Amino acid sequence: MSPISDVLVCPLRPVERFRDLRPDEVADLFKTTQKVADVVEKHFQGTSLTISLQDGPEAGQTVKHVHVHVVPRKSGDFENNDNIYNELQKHDQQVEDIPEKWRSKEEMSAEASELKMYFNEPENQ
């Protein structure tokens, strides 16, 4: 499978574990995740989504900051549906450990500009 396309949703206040978020931050995180998920599915022509929060190292969290992965899915994208979690862990480790694989600021800015148009639509506000 080619590298996964995923978007991360992070709370404004950096915390390591989900339990460290205040109730209003939990609500904001998931309201934002819901909006982002709608955009990701449309933009990447997905037919489903995997929304994942790995809370702690034994759960697969490789970055010490609460974040939610939003991954567009299509029929047959993985031979075994649960392989998505292995790919997420591998993806996080590669991105974190190999700076040469990091996207440039220009690439991230271009993608952000593409995705921004969805958030300017009235039904997404």
Side-chain angles (χ1 to χ4, degrees):
M1 189 195 115
S2 61
I4 60 173
S5 297
D6 71 326
V7 173
L8 299 182
V9 180
C10 303
L12 292 174
R13 184 173 65 93
V15 297
E16 185 173 335
R17 298 290 306 275
F18 184 72
R19 67 176 173 239
D20 300 328
L21 292 170
R22 297 184 306 262
D24 62 309
E25 293 172 318
V26 171
D28 187 52
L29 177 63
F30 282 101
K31 282 174 34 181
T32 302
T33 297
Q34 186 179 43
K35 289 179 183 181
V36 168
D38 184 48
V39 166
V40 166
E41 189 170 0
K42 286 178 188 175
H43 183 74
F44 294 103
Q45 292 92 42
T47 54
S48 295
L49 294 160
T50 291
I51 298 171
S52 174
L53 189 157
Q54 294 154 303
D55 191 33
E58 291 76 25
Q61 181 184 23
T62 56
V63 178
K64 291 184 177 186
H65 183 283
V66 171
H67 60 282
V68 178
H69 288 267
V70 180
V71 184
R73 302 293 305 273
K74 295 179 182 178
S75 179
D77 57 0
F78 286 94
E79 185 176 328
N80 177 345
N81 216 15
D82 282 346
N83 286 351
I84 182 68
Y85 302 107
N86 296 329
E87 189 66 26
L88 282 172
Q89 187 170 10
K90 184 173 84 176
H91 173 72
D92 278 354
Q93 289 172 341
Q94 287 174 347
V95 170
E96 183 178 321
D97 296 340
I98 306 171
E100 300 81 44
K101 292 193 176 200
W102 296 350
R103 295 184 302 150
S104 70
K105 287 183 181 181
E106 293 79 16
E107 290 171 314
M108 290 187 285
S109 179
E111 183 176 61
S113 292
E114 280 182 43
L115 295 174
K116 185 178 179 181
M117 70 178 178
Y118 293 102
F119 292 98
N120 291 330
E121 294 175 3
E123 72 252 20
N124 287 319
Q125 295 184 3

